[in-house]
Amino acid sequence: MTRQGRNSMDKPVIVTVDDDPGVSRAVARDLRRRYGQEYRIVRAEAASDGIEAVKEMRLRGDEVAAILADYRMPQMNGVQFLEAAMDMYPYARRVLLTAYADTDAAIQAINVVDLDHYLLKPWDPPEEKFYPVIDGQLDAWLRTERIERSELRVVGDRWSAQSYAVRDFLARNHVPYQWMLAEDPEGAQLVKAAGEGCHLPLVVTVDGTTLESPDQATLATTVGLSTTPATDFYDLIVVGGGPAGLGAAVYGASEGLNTVLVEAHASGGQAGQSSRIENYLGFPDGVSGQQLADRARRQALRFGAELLSARKVTHLEPRGQARVVGFKDGGEIAAHAVILATGVTYRRLDAPGLDEFVGRGVFYGAALTEAPACRDTEVYVVGAANSAGQAAVYLSGFASKVHLLVRSDGLERSMSHYLIEQIAAIPNIEVHTQTVVVGGGGSGHLERLTLSTKGEERTVDAQWMFVFIGAEPYTSWLGETVERDAKGFVLTGPDLVQGGKRPRNWPLRREPYYLETNVPGVLAAGDVRADSIKRVASAVGEGAMAVALVHRYLEKQ
């Protein structure tokens, strides 16, 4: 059915909010004149009325394509309004209406609410200054893969590692869902409807389909993530969806390479789990790892890259001029070149009694889905690098107290100065130096930790511990194909020719390019590479650089 044939209430909505009645009517008039056949125009002359209108549309299940809000409103300014509306309609395009004097506020809003555009008033003639902007925003909305909020319901146990794994997978892949405990009334009803012997966690889709304790591949397929490659041969395969992998996918696809990115879990990698990245270029007010990863993912898709989710790579094999990548669940794809960007994982704590509580009070990484459940409790964060500091700052907004456990005698050697200053200024964060975790215990979930400070042990009550210690590269699947150092990091470029020796089985007359491994056409970028700089910006840069070297490799084939 075409849009023209729809009833008015079936049309997507454009919302405009401005407390100046004359401006409000003018905006609505210009919108109806151009878009009235395709969209329903809803205007409000007060921020409170606008919020109520958005809430009603959310309850009715209306689609909102764009929200235009004036910056200067008495009850709440336009940035605050868009931030509130974003919670209900995360996929709506957000446009701030502002005067020239308020452009600084508009620039700030780009970071605060992921603002899509700001318009200076007045915009006469609209044909030149208004419609082209709105055309672009509506086109972007139409091209966005929209998953409606609350389509998915997840029912599980509070201290279930499997329930946590499902919620973490959905959250890190930007899939909205509603979480409920099995003992809650609505949760109990869903479990009963699923039938006797239902295995938790239970996932219920909008059409009533139920998944019992689903694996990641099944879950990914159900929520519409791509898991099957479109072809069996590409120009470039990128293994890993962290900053380096996403950077490589964006630059590879934008420069004309038929590119596929394969990710075992979720785009963003460790950086995607960060609650706040404040030293990334271009984001003076900081940006969450999830937001940065989602922007990069959408950017890669816009350039035509293919993204495969929940596919674990288990082997890499050169076959003549092709480079073949095989999957754990069967099947393989090939390409002219491969970029390894599998990143690193946090090292496990070597302390008795902790492994059984992973996902049940012990979490490796930020585990942002758990933060609201930590409200008014004491939380323990282990680590002394930026990731631990960012987590401590974020969790301090929920927990009554955050204990930051540091093995060394301070933070200065491993944490950025700006984070040290932030931590010092937050009263409910306490830093414990020369302190390590030597044990843990509980019944069904973590209940206590044994800490050692300067050799003296003590036991503390603890239900939440987030661990950020060291890094182990995910490279064991490479076997003997790709050379690595003693810690498992991939050797590239100059590291392969130290002492004048050529790489093992190197078939070419030239030496390996800077990011190239001992297999021609296979490059490494980001944290997985030996002696790389462990920063988001450098990982993105290496992803882009690797693509440039792929072009050089292909030109000389």
Side-chain angles (χ1 to χ4, degrees):
M1 180 185 295
T2 62
R3 289 247 179 91
Q4 286 82 351
R6 290 181 175 185
N7 293 326
S8 174
M9 296 300 289
D10 291 334
K11 295 178 181 178
V13 181
I14 299 175
V15 179
T16 172
V17 183
D18 196 307
D19 66 311
D20 184 324
V23 174
S24 177
R25 287 192 293 270
V27 174
R29 179 199 64 216
D30 286 346
L31 289 171
R32 289 194 182 96
R33 183 181 300 164
R34 176 83 165 216
Y35 308 106
Q37 293 296 315
E38 299 280 337
Y39 297 86
R40 182 160 56 95
I41 312 303
V42 174
R43 74 178 182 94
E45 294 182 1
S48 58
D49 294 341
I51 289 294
E52 288 303 313
V54 171
K55 286 181 178 179
E56 289 179 11
M57 287 183 278
R58 175 70 271 178
L59 291 174
R60 287 198 304 265
D62 294 341
E63 286 191 295
V64 173
I67 303 174
L68 289 70
D70 183 59
Y71 175 67
R72 289 179 177 267
M73 292 190 291
Q75 296 172 322
M76 61 171 67
N77 65 38
V79 174
Q80 294 168 329
F81 180 89
L82 290 172
E83 194 170 16
M86 184 169 64
D87 292 334
M88 290 173 279
Y89 283 100
Y91 298 102
R93 307 299 289 183
R94 294 174 283 277
V95 178
L96 191 68
L97 308 179
T98 181
Y100 181 81
D102 297 321
T103 51
D104 285 343
I107 294 171
Q108 178 188 12
I110 292 173
N111 296 319
V112 175
V113 295
D114 197 11
L115 188 69
D116 296 305
H117 209 282
Y118 66 91
L119 274 169
L120 293 176
K121 300 184 293 184
W123 47 72
D124 289 327
E127 288 76 14
E128 294 181 13
K129 298 182 179 180
F130 185 70
Y131 294 144
V133 171
I134 304 303
D135 284 348
Q137 296 307 314
L138 295 177
D139 181 66
W141 179 79
L142 289 169
R143 293 173 182 272
T144 300
E145 293 182 10
R146 299 183 298 278
I147 302 173
E148 287 300 316
R149 183 175 295 274
S150 298
E151 278 193 346
L152 234 60
R153 288 169 288 176
V154 180
V155 186
D157 294 322
R158 179 68 200 88
W159 297 109
S160 162
Q162 285 183 300
S163 295
Y164 162 70
V166 167
R167 291 185 292 125
D168 186 60
F169 179 82
L170 294 172
R172 292 180 62 188
N173 280 286
H174 314 282
V175 179
Y177 66 91
Q178 182 182 2
W179 161 247
M180 55 191 73
L181 297 174
E183 59 264 28
D184 291 342
E186 187 177 354
Q189 291 172 6
L190 291 173
V191 171
K192 183 177 180 181
E196 189 174 346
C198 170
H199 294 91
L200 299 179
L202 175 69
V203 178
V204 184
T205 68
V206 69
D207 63 2
T209 301
T210 58
L211 305 174
E212 298 183 19
S213 192
D215 58 29
Q216 284 193 357
T218 302
L219 194 56
T221 301
T222 300
V223 300
L225 298 175
S226 177
T227 60
T228 304
T231 184
D232 58 4
F233 196 91
Y234 296 84
D235 294 324
L236 173 63
I237 298 171
V238 181
V239 184
L246 287 167
V250 167
Y251 281 93
S254 68
E255 294 174 11
L257 296 178
N258 184 15
T259 302
V260 61
L261 183 148
V262 184
E263 169 56 47
H265 303 294
S267 58
Q270 279 192 3
Q273 294 180 278
S274 177
S275 55
R276 202 76 179 163
I277 301 170
E278 297 192 63
N279 58 353
Y280 189 71
L281 185 67
F283 291 88
D285 297 307
V287 60
S288 74
Q290 280 195 348
Q291 187 181 39
L292 188 63
D294 184 51
R295 285 185 175 191
R297 181 189 64 83
R298 289 188 282 122
Q299 194 173 16
L301 289 171
R302 183 169 68 86
F303 283 124
E306 185 180 340
L307 272 58
L308 300 184
S309 301
R311 295 300 296 272
K312 189 171 185 178
V313 175
T314 55
H315 67 269
L316 170 67
E317 179 186 351
R319 295 181 193 166
Q321 297 302 310
R323 304 292 177 255
V324 180
V325 165
F327 300 117
K328 180 181 179 180
D329 55 358
E332 58 185 29
I333 53 177
H336 294 298
V338 173
I339 295 176
L340 304 175
T342 49
V344 295
T345 57
Y346 290 113
R347 200 166 59 239
R348 292 293 182 100
L349 274 173
D350 184 17
L354 294 180
D355 283 350
E356 62 180 294
F357 299 124
V358 174
R360 297 186 294 162
V362 176
F363 303 93
Y364 289 89
L368 300 182
T369 55
E370 300 303 300
C374 299
R375 193 175 300 280
D376 300 326
T377 65
E378 296 196 13
V379 171
Y380 289 80
V381 176
V382 183
N386 280 7
S387 53
Q390 290 161 351
V393 170
Y394 181 72
L395 290 167
S396 69
F398 299 89
S400 59
K401 191 164 190 176
V402 176
H403 300 273
L404 182 58
L405 309 182
V406 180
R407 179 185 292 272
S408 64
D409 56 4
L411 299 171
E412 289 73 18
R413 286 183 295 177
S414 54
M415 190 177 291
S416 294
H417 180 68
Y418 79 91
L419 265 177
I420 296 175
E421 288 188 327
Q422 283 187 22
I423 289 170
I426 298 175
N428 65 329
I429 299 180
E430 182 177 354
V431 180
H432 304 266
T433 59
Q434 300 183 44
T435 301
V436 296
V437 179
V438 295
S443 176
H445 63 90
L446 181 69
E447 295 178 332
R448 58 188 175 275
L449 291 172
T450 302
L451 309 179
S452 175
T453 303
K454 300 179 181 179
E456 294 186 8
E457 293 189 2
R458 69 186 190 278
T459 299
V460 296
D461 293 334
Q463 290 187 322
W464 306 96
M465 180 174 68
F466 301 86
V467 183
F468 306 82
I469 56 168
E472 294 178 343
Y474 175 53
T475 56
S476 58
W477 62 277
L478 291 169
E480 299 298 320
T481 305
V482 174
E483 288 192 28
R484 292 165 283 158
D485 67 11
K487 296 181 179 179
F489 290 92
V490 175
L491 296 170
T492 60
D495 291 332
L496 290 167
V497 293
Q498 289 183 354
K501 295 181 180 179
R502 297 171 67 81
R504 184 183 68 238
N505 299 324
W506 182 255
L508 305 179
R509 297 181 64 181
R510 65 169 177 83
E511 292 184 350
Y513 298 132
Y514 185 74
L515 299 180
E516 196 170 23
T517 70
N518 62 297
V519 181
V522 176
L523 297 90
D527 291 359
V528 74
R529 193 176 64 81
D531 296 326
S532 63
I533 304 299
K534 304 299 188 285
R535 287 290 186 269
V536 175
S538 61
V540 173
E542 285 195 5
M545 181 179 176
V547 170
L549 295 176
V550 165
H551 280 291
R552 187 182 302 177
Y553 167 77
L554 294 176
E555 288 169 0
K556 297 185 178 182
Q557 281 295 93

